[in-house]
């Protein structure tokens, strides 16, 4: 069935360093790829998304890249800050997929001051 | 706007009891959904609704019922609680079901003894 693999499961970086989280999806019909940030005790919050007609998208310190041929997409956070510490989830959805997101397993990011 | 509101925030049940998890949104979103989050497994879709009066099953629907009588509300019912249903439950909504950002509530933490 449809599957999204996310790596690494934990990531620890020093403040100011960059962090990269990678996801691989199995369904070639996937067309929409959001990233969510989840802080402790809260629900996931969308931080950036990308559609398959775009290879890269950037929003300040956050960027996402997509390689549809390889079925990979990645989240890049530059100049990390302690408030970036959270669990990050990638997800994939088909075109007109009925809102049915398939989530990765999550990455716990820790940014050390 | 309150966004997506879930009640209760915490609940402890005994095996075999029934209960309803409430979800309400004030953004006039057509699409609503329920996910469960378990350690190391990301979020998995339970049920979803593309509009009032329309519901459908997601990835893990067994043991749960839903209804959507209004645009605003999408309750999730556990008919006979089982320990395997111990989880954190998240409700989400989006403008439509077609590759749109989904807005999540802060979750209901449910323990089944």
């Amino acid at each position: 069935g449809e599957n999204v693999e996310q790596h690494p499961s934990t990531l620890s970086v020093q403040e100011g360093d960059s962090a990269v989280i990678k996801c691989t999806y199995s369904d070639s019909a996937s067309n929409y790829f959001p990233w969510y940030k989840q802080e402790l005790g809260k629900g996931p919050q969308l931080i950036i998304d990308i559609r398959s007609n775009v290879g890269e998208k950037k929003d300040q310190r956050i960027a996402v890249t997509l390689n549809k041929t390889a079925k990979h997409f990645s989240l890049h956070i530059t100049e990390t800050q302690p408030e970036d510490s959270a669990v990050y989830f990638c997800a994939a959805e088909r075109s007109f997929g009925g809102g049915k997101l398939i989530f990765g397993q999550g990455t716990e990011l820790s940014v050390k001051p | 706007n309150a966004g997506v509101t879930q009640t209760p925030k915490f609940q402890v049940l005994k095996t075999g009891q029934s209960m309803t998890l409430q979800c309400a949104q004030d953004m006039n979103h057509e699409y609503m959904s329920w996910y469960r989050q378990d350690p190391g497994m990301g979020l998995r879709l339970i049920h979803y609704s593309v509009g009032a009066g329309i519901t459908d099953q997601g990835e893990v629907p067994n043991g749960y019922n839903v209804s959507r009588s209004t645009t605003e509300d999408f309750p999730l019912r556990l008919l006979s609680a089982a320990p395997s249903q111990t989880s954190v439950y998240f409700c989400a909504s989006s403008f439509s079901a077609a590759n749109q950002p989904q807005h999540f509530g802060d979750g209901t933490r449910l323990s089944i003894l």
Side-chain angles (χ1 to χ4, degrees), chain A residues 5 10 17-19 22-23 35 37-38 41 45 56 58 67 69 75 87 91 96 99-100 108-109:
Chain A
E5 293 289 334
T10 61
D17 287 350
S18 295
K22 300 181 178 182
C23 290
W35 285 88
K37 176 183 180 182
Q38 186 178 27
Q45 183 176 15
E56 183 173 358
K58 189 173 181 179
N67 183 330
T69 302
L75 178 71
V87 179
F96 305 104
K100 290 184 280 187
E108 184 174 2
L109 174 64

Side-chain angles (χ1 to χ4, degrees), chain A residues 38 43 51 89 93-94 98-99, chain B residues 31 37 90 97 99 102 105-106:
Chain A
Q38 186 178 27
R51 289 173 172 76
F89 290 96
E93 182 187 339
R94 290 182 163 192
Chain B
Y31 181 84
Q37 183 176 32
F90 289 99
N99 302 159
Q102 296 197 24
D106 283 337

Side-chain angles (χ1 to χ4, degrees), chain B residues 20-65:
Chain B
T20 299
L21 280 63
Q22 301 292 343
C23 175
Q25 53 90 8
D26 62 357
M27 298 172 282
N28 202 31
H29 284 171
E30 288 297 321
Y31 181 84
M32 297 185 73
S33 56
W34 277 100
Y35 290 85
R36 60 177 288 172
Q37 183 176 32
D38 301 294
M41 299 185 72
L43 288 86
R44 292 180 292 167
L45 183 65
I46 304 171
H47 284 286
Y48 65 97
S49 169
V50 299
I54 305 169
T55 64
D56 207 345
Q57 297 181 350
E59 183 184 354
V60 288
N62 292 342
Y64 308 95
N65 274 1

Side-chain angles (χ1 to χ4, degrees), chain A residues 11-19 61 77-85 109-113:
Chain A
L11 180 59
S12 182
V13 300
Q14 288 294 131
E15 182 177 359
D17 287 350
S18 295
R61 297 185 296 108
I77 305 174
T78 59
E79 302 173 18
T80 53
Q81 301 167 3
E83 51 265 39
D84 294 329
S85 295
L109 174 64
S110 176
V111 180
K112 300 189 183 303

Side-chain angles (χ1 to χ4, degrees), chain A residues 1-5 24-27 92 102-103 105:
Chain A
E2 300 159 12
N3 188 45
V4 175
E5 293 289 334
T24 304
Y25 60 97
S26 62
D27 186 358
I102 305 297
F103 280 86
Q105 296 84 354

